[in-house]
Amino acid sequence: MLYWLQQLQMKRWEFHNSLPALPAAHDAALAGNGPALRLELEQEEEEEEAFLCPVKTPTDLVGVAAAWQPVHARPSALQNISLKHLGTEIQNTMCNIRGNKQTQGANHRPPGEDSPLSEETQREEQPSPPGPGAPGKDPANSLKSSLTTSLIRKAKSQSNTFPLFSEGLMRNRTAQEKVLALEQQVLMLTKELKAQKELVKILHKALEAAQQEKRVSSAYLAAAQDKDRLELVRHKVRQIAELGRRVEALERERESLAQTASLQEQEIRELQQHVQLLLDKNQAKQQVICKLSEKVTQDFMKAPEEADRDFLSQQEKMEHLKDDMEAYRTQNRFLNSEIHQVTKIWRKVAEKEKALLMKCAYLQAQNCQVESKYLAGLRRLQEALGVEAGECSELLRQLIQEALQWEASEASADSVVLSPSTISEYDEYGFLTVPNYEVEDLRLLAKIQALEVHSHHLLAHEAVERPLRERWATLGELAPSAELKQLLRAGVPHEHRPRVWRWLIRLRVQHLQAPGCYQALLSRGQACKHSAARQIELDLNRTFPNNKHFTCPTSSFPDKLRRVLLAFSWQNPTIGYCQGLNRLAAIALLVLDEEESAFWCLVAIVETIMPADYYSKTLLASQVDQRVLQDLLLEKLPRLMAHLGQRHVDLSFITFNWFLVVFADSLISNILLQVWDAFLYEGIKVVFRYALAIFKYNEEALLRLQDSLEIYQYLHFFTKTICDSRKLMHIAFNDMNPFPMKQLRQLRAAHRERLEAELNELEQLKAEYLETRAAQGPAVPEGSPSEDEGEAEP
C-alpha cells in the first residue's frame, strides 16, 4: 500500500511540474527570461527529488517473486514453525540438533578419555601468543598456526552441526594432534627464549653498573690529590641526588598509573555489570520469544476444519480488500486527473490575469500621458491667447476648470477595479501628490506633473520596481558592499526603508550613541528653557505646508519635531538651532516614525556626513560648497553656464537651499527619498551629483529662456517638474562621471582658503570703519537743530 501511494504521489508531482503553454501574446516578452525559467524548473526538480524519498519494497514479499514461490501440497514436518519469527525458529532448531549430536558424542566416548575438541576450546580461550614483534617468533609459523587454528575452528563448527563430517574428521585427528602438540611446544620454547633474553638484558645492565663502579673507583684511586678525590665524591653525590629525584618521579608516575589502573578496573567492573544486565535482558527476551513461538505453534495446531474456515474467511476479507483497493485506486485516479486539470486552469488564469494587469497598467499609463498632453495643450493655448476676450477664451477657461476638478478616483467603477493603482491625494509619507497652487497656471502645471509621475510609476512597476523589491527581499543582513551601494542608488522600497535607514544611521553614529542619551536631553530641556526654543516654535508651522502630517491639527508630528529639535540644541550647543534643521528632522520623522531614531538621524547628518561649519552662524562650509558647485557646473555643463553667465544669473540663490536641507523643499517625495537613500550611505557627494543632474535634466528648457527674470521664475519651481526618477538617477551616477572625491576635496580647500581671506578682509574693513566713526564722533548736519536746542524752544 505504501509503495502504491508513493507511486501515486510521484505521478501527481509529475503532473504538477508540467508547465502550461504560455499565451502567444507573451512569447516575445518572455523570450529573454528563458534561461532564468529553465533554472527555476531545474531547482524545482531538485527540490522534488529531495522531497520524495523512494521506498524500497522487499522483493520477496510482493510482486513477481512472491507469486513464484512454491506452494506446499501436503503438511510437512515444518508445519508448526512460526512464520512471523522464521529466523528465530531456524536458530532454535539448529541449536537443538547440535545439542543432540553433542550428547550422542559424549555418550559414545570412554569415561577416562578427554576430548581433543575440548582441549582446542580451552586453548582458544587462553590468551593469544605474543605478536609478530616478539623475539623468537617466526612469521611463517605464525601464519601456519593461524591458518591451522581457523581450519580447526571451522571443522569444529561443522562437526557440531553435521555429524557425518565429524566422523570423517576423526580419522585425521592423530596428525592434527601432532601439529597442535608441536605448536604448543614452539610456544613454550618462544616464551622460554623471551625469558632468557630478559635475563641477558638484566645481566648486561648489572655488568654495565659494575664496570661504571670500577671506573669510578679506579679514577678515585688514581687521583693524586685530595682535591680531585673530593671533586669525584661531590660528582658522585650529585649523581646520587639526581637518581633520587628520578626515583621519586618514577614513584609518582607509578602511583598515577596505579590510580589509572584502579579507575580502569572500576570501569571494567561497571562494564561487566552492564554486560550482565544485557545478558539478563537478552535471556528474558529469549524467554518471551519462546513463549510467543509456543503460542504461535499452538495456533497452527488447530483442527483442520477451523483452519479451513479461518482460511476461507481470510480469503473473503482479502477479496473485499482488493475490491476496496481497486475502488480507491479508481477514485484517486479520478481525483488526480481533477487536480491536474484544475492546476492547469489555475495557471492559465493566473497568467491571463497577470497579462491583463500589465495591459491595464500600460493603458492607464498611456491614458495619463494623453491627459497630461491634453492639459499641456490647454496651457499652451492659454498662453497663446493671453488676455484676449471672446468665446474661445471663455471655452478654454471652462475646459481648464473641468480638467482641474476631475480626479482619477471619480472614474467609473470598472476602471477602478481593473486599475492596479490610482492617483491618490497624498502619497505614503503624507505629501500632496498634486500641490495646491493658488495661481491657476501653476495648478495646471502641478496636475500635468502628477499625471506624468503616475505614468512613469506604472511603466516602471513591472520592469524596474518588482525586480528591485525581489532583490531587497533576498538581501538578508545588511553589510557595506558594492551591491548594497547600487541598490541604495536605485532607491529603497517603502517597506524596507525604515530598517535600512536605521542601519545607515547606526553605522554613522555608533561611536556617539549612548543608552538613555535622548531621554536625558529631553529632561534637560524641560528643566531649563533653551535660547533657540522661540525660533523652533516659529519654524514648526512653516515645516512642509503640503504634508498632512504637519498641517493636521490633531497630528502628533509637530510635537515630536519640537522635542527632536530641542534635544539636538542641547546635544550640539555650538550650533544650537539653524533654519533648515527642522526640515531635515521632519524627513527623518516621516520615514522612521520614532523620535529617538529621527534625533540620531539629524545628528548623523549634521555632525558626521556634512562638513564642519556647515550649519554655523557664518555658514562657511555651505558657501564653500556653492563655489565648488559653480566650478563643477563650468566643467560638466559649459554651454548652460555660458548662457546663464551672459544673463548674469546667480545660481547660488537657488542651490544654497538645496545643499542646506538636501533638496527637502525642491524635489517631489519619491525622488527626494531616493536621493536620501544614497546620501545617508555615500555622503555629500550625492548632493553634488544630483545638483548637476537637475541642471542637466532641464538644460534644454533653460537654454530656451532668454530673459533673466523669466529664468529666475523658472528656477524657483523647475525642480518640481522632474518626474522621471530613473532618468535623473542615470544622469547623476552615469552621465556625471568621472566624479573623483579627490577633486572635490581640492576644490573645497582652495575655495575655503579664498573665502577665509575675503572674510578676514571684510572684518578688517568693518573694524576700520568703526574706528573712523568713533574718531569722528556723532555727525550733526549743519543748520539742523540739536536735541538740546529743540528742548529749549517752546
Side-chain angles (χ1 to χ4, degrees):
M1 188 64 171
L2 181 62
Y3 180 76
W4 181 81
L5 286 175
Q6 186 199 8
Q7 296 299 321
L8 181 65
Q9 189 181 26
M10 292 174 66
K11 291 293 183 182
R12 186 183 69 193
W13 276 93
E14 289 178 3
F15 281 125
H16 175 69
N17 291 332
S18 61
L19 288 174
L22 296 176
H26 300 283
D27 289 344
L30 300 179
N33 299 331
L37 186 60
R38 287 195 296 272
L39 182 59
E40 292 179 1
L41 292 177
E42 293 176 359
Q43 292 178 354
E44 289 181 0
E45 291 178 0
E46 293 178 359
E47 293 177 357
E48 291 158 11
E49 291 178 359
F51 178 73
L52 293 173
C53 300
V55 178
K56 295 182 180 179
T57 307
T59 56
D60 55 346
L61 298 181
V62 297
V64 181
W68 284 98
Q69 290 181 358
V71 182
H72 297 287
R74 57 185 178 81
S76 62
L78 299 177
Q79 186 176 3
N80 296 330
I81 293 179
S82 172
L83 296 177
K84 187 175 181 181
H85 305 284
L86 186 59
T88 306
E89 289 293 337
I90 294 173
Q91 183 180 2
N92 293 337
T93 306
M94 295 303 295
C95 290
N96 293 332
I97 295 173
R98 188 185 305 160
N100 294 333
K101 294 301 180 179
Q102 289 179 358
T103 306
Q104 293 176 4
N107 293 334
H108 290 293
R109 191 180 302 114
E113 185 178 357
D114 294 334
S115 173
L117 294 177
S118 63
E119 295 177 359
E120 294 169 6
T121 306
Q122 293 176 0
R123 280 195 289 271
E124 288 178 358
E125 294 176 354
Q126 292 176 357
S128 61
K137 183 68 176 178
D138 189 3
N141 293 335
S142 175
L143 180 60
K144 181 178 179 182
S145 175
S146 62
L147 290 173
T148 307
T149 306
S150 62
L151 288 172
I152 292 172
R153 188 180 296 111
K154 183 175 181 181
K156 180 184 69 174
S157 61
Q158 292 179 355
S159 65
N160 290 337
T161 308
F162 304 101
L164 295 177
F165 185 76
S166 178
E167 291 177 2
L169 186 63
M170 291 294 291
R171 299 170 186 171
N172 299 328
R173 183 171 293 176
T174 305
Q176 292 179 358
E177 287 178 354
K178 291 180 180 180
V179 171
L180 292 174
L182 290 174
E183 288 181 355
Q184 187 68 20
Q185 187 176 2
V186 168
L187 291 175
M188 291 175 62
L189 291 174
T190 303
K191 291 180 180 179
E192 185 178 357
L193 180 60
K194 185 177 179 182
Q196 292 296 330
K197 286 186 176 182
E198 292 293 334
L199 180 60
V200 169
K201 288 182 181 179
I202 293 171
L203 292 176
H204 272 296
K205 290 181 180 179
L207 181 59
E208 288 178 359
Q211 290 177 355
Q212 182 68 21
E213 185 176 359
K214 181 180 178 182
R215 285 195 295 269
V216 172
S217 300
S218 300
Y220 181 79
L221 294 175
Q225 298 180 1
D226 294 339
K227 183 178 180 181
D228 297 336
R229 293 181 180 180
L230 182 59
E231 185 63 28
L232 291 174
V233 171
R234 289 177 179 174
H235 179 68
K236 195 66 177 179
V237 169
R238 285 195 297 269
Q239 287 183 350
I240 291 171
E242 181 66 25
L243 290 174
R245 286 193 295 271
R246 290 180 60 186
V247 168
E248 291 177 358
L250 292 173
E251 186 66 24
R252 288 194 297 270
E253 185 178 359
R254 185 187 66 80
E255 291 177 357
S256 64
L257 291 175
Q259 292 177 0
T260 306
S262 63
L263 292 175
Q264 290 181 352
E265 289 177 358
Q266 185 177 358
E267 291 180 359
I268 289 171
R269 286 195 297 271
E270 292 177 356
L271 290 174
Q272 288 177 352
Q273 293 176 1
H274 185 62
V275 168
Q276 187 63 33
L277 290 175
L278 292 177
L279 290 175
D280 295 341
K281 188 176 180 180
N282 191 15
Q283 185 176 2
K285 288 183 179 180
Q286 290 292 338
Q287 291 177 1
V288 173
I289 290 171
C290 291
K291 291 180 181 179
L292 292 176
S293 300
E294 291 176 0
K295 184 178 179 181
V296 171
T297 304
Q298 291 176 4
D299 292 340
F300 271 98
M301 292 178 65
K302 292 180 180 180
E305 295 83 5
E306 187 177 355
D308 293 339
R309 286 197 301 271
D310 292 342
F311 178 73
L312 292 175
S313 63
Q314 294 292 334
Q315 190 174 6
E316 185 177 359
K317 289 180 181 179
M318 188 179 296
E319 292 295 332
H320 287 303
L321 290 175
K322 287 181 179 179
D323 293 339
D324 293 341
M325 186 174 66
E326 186 64 29
Y328 284 125
R329 184 184 291 115
T330 305
Q331 183 181 1
N332 285 337
R333 191 181 299 114
F334 171 74
L335 291 175
N336 287 336
S337 64
E338 286 294 315
I339 292 172
H340 175 59
Q341 295 296 330
V342 170
T343 304
K344 288 177 63 177
I345 293 172
W346 177 80
R347 285 180 177 175
K348 290 180 180 179
V349 168
E351 292 291 334
K352 189 175 180 180
E353 181 183 4
K354 183 178 178 181
L356 288 175
L357 287 175
M358 292 178 63
K359 185 178 179 181
C360 180
Y362 281 108
L363 288 176
Q364 189 178 4
Q366 188 176 5
N367 183 30
C368 291
Q369 292 176 356
V370 170
E371 187 182 355
S372 65
K373 290 178 182 178
Y374 167 71
L375 295 177
L378 289 178
R379 183 168 177 267
R380 293 193 188 96
L381 186 59
Q382 184 184 22
E383 292 176 354
L385 289 176
V387 293
E388 295 179 2
E391 297 180 358
C392 186
S393 61
E394 185 65 28
L395 178 61
L396 180 61
R397 190 179 301 105
Q398 183 179 358
L399 289 175
I400 292 174
Q401 189 69 23
E402 290 177 357
L404 290 175
Q405 291 177 355
W406 185 84
E407 297 291 339
S409 58
E410 296 177 358
S412 61
D414 296 335
S415 63
V416 173
V417 173
L418 292 176
S419 176
S421 60
T422 57
I423 303 177
S424 59
E425 185 179 1
Y426 294 96
D427 62 3
E428 57 269 15
Y429 296 103
F431 289 99
L432 277 173
T433 307
V434 182
N436 187 14
Y437 295 118
E438 295 181 358
V439 182
E440 186 176 355
D441 189 17
L442 294 181
R443 290 177 60 195
L444 189 61
L445 184 64
K447 186 64 181 294
I448 295 172
Q449 170 203 342
L451 291 170
E452 291 182 355
V453 170
H454 190 56
S455 174
H456 287 299
H457 172 72
L458 291 173
L459 292 175
H461 184 268
E462 292 294 330
V464 179
E465 292 189 8
R466 185 184 296 274
L468 185 63
R469 290 177 185 272
E470 293 176 355
R471 289 179 65 186
W472 275 106
T474 58
L475 187 60
E477 187 176 356
L478 298 176
S481 62
E483 181 185 7
L484 180 63
K485 184 178 180 180
Q486 296 299 323
L487 287 175
L488 289 171
R489 287 181 175 183
V492 183
H494 171 66
E495 61 271 16
H496 297 284
R497 183 167 279 132
R499 176 177 67 92
V500 175
W501 278 29
R502 288 189 184 93
W503 178 80
L504 292 172
I505 294 165
R506 187 167 58 253
L507 202 66
R508 294 281 186 179
V509 298
Q510 57 186 351
H511 62 287
L512 299 174
Q513 281 182 321
C517 178
Y518 179 68
Q519 298 300 328
L521 293 172
L522 289 180
S523 302
R524 186 177 178 184
Q526 292 175 358
C528 180
K529 187 176 181 180
H530 198 276
S531 58
R534 184 174 177 275
Q535 186 63 39
I536 291 173
E537 289 294 333
L538 291 176
D539 288 347
L540 284 179
N541 298 325
R542 294 181 289 192
T543 303
F544 294 141
N546 60 341
N547 189 289
K548 65 179 181 179
H549 294 300
F550 291 97
T551 56
C552 181
T554 59
S555 176
S556 61
F557 276 82
D559 295 333
K560 293 180 180 179
L561 181 59
R562 180 188 296 107
R563 289 191 290 269
V564 169
L565 294 176
L566 286 174
F568 180 80
S569 63
W570 288 108
Q571 161 75 15
N572 195 330
T574 305
I575 298 175
Y577 176 74
C578 175
Q579 287 186 353
L581 297 182
N582 58 326
R583 282 162 283 183
L584 296 176
I587 293 292
L589 270 175
L590 290 172
V591 175
L592 301 173
D593 199 22
E594 292 180 1
E595 290 184 35
E596 188 170 359
S597 299
F599 166 76
W600 288 115
C601 181
L602 185 60
V603 172
I605 294 172
V606 176
E607 298 186 7
T608 63
I609 298 178
M610 291 297 193
D613 298 333
Y614 218 85
Y615 298 94
S616 62
K617 293 181 180 180
T618 59
L619 299 176
L620 181 63
S622 302
Q623 298 182 53
V624 169
D625 279 355
Q626 294 306 306
R627 300 190 179 190
V628 173
L629 179 62
Q630 293 289 331
D631 291 349
L632 293 175
L633 285 170
L634 288 171
E635 178 187 351
K636 304 290 183 181
L637 303 172
R639 192 161 63 104
L640 177 63
M641 291 304 294
H643 177 74
L644 296 177
Q646 291 175 1
R647 285 145 187 85
H648 306 287
V649 176
D650 188 2
L651 294 178
S652 61
F653 290 110
I654 307 299
T655 58
F656 191 83
N657 190 56
W658 292 1
F659 281 72
L660 202 64
V661 297
V662 194
F663 302 104
D665 291 331
S666 306
L667 298 173
I668 59 177
S669 59
N670 61 331
I671 301 178
L672 171 65
L673 296 175
Q674 183 176 341
V675 173
W676 275 57
D677 293 336
F679 165 71
L680 291 176
Y681 184 72
E682 299 184 49
I684 195 172
K685 68 177 182 178
V686 174
V687 183
F688 281 100
R689 282 183 176 272
Y690 271 99
L692 295 171
I694 289 171
F695 285 108
K696 180 66 176 179
Y697 191 97
N698 297 275
E699 183 179 13
E700 297 300 327
L702 286 169
L703 290 174
R704 286 194 297 267
L705 301 176
Q706 301 299 326
D707 184 54
S708 59
L709 181 60
E710 191 178 4
I711 291 175
Y712 276 117
Q713 290 177 351
Y714 180 74
L715 289 175
H716 274 92
F717 70 90
F718 81 116
T719 54
K720 295 288 186 179
T721 62
I722 299 175
C723 305
D724 194 348
S725 60
R726 300 297 161 188
K727 178 181 177 182
L728 184 65
M729 186 265 292
H730 182 79
I731 294 173
F733 294 107
N734 294 325
D735 294 353
M736 292 298 112
N737 286 334
F739 202 87
M741 195 64 188
K742 182 179 179 181
Q743 179 189 6
L744 192 63
R745 294 193 189 97
Q746 291 175 353
L747 290 174
R748 272 181 170 172
H751 284 295
R752 188 181 186 91
E753 186 177 354
R754 296 193 196 102
L755 184 60
E756 288 177 350
E758 292 175 4
L759 291 176
N760 291 331
E761 185 178 354
L762 287 175
E763 289 294 331
Q764 292 176 3
L765 291 175
K766 182 179 178 182
E768 291 176 359
Y769 174 74
L770 292 176
E771 290 177 1
T772 305
R773 288 292 303 272
Q776 292 177 357
V780 179
E782 294 182 0
S784 62
S786 64
E787 294 180 358
D788 297 336
E789 293 176 355
E791 290 177 358
E793 292 179 358

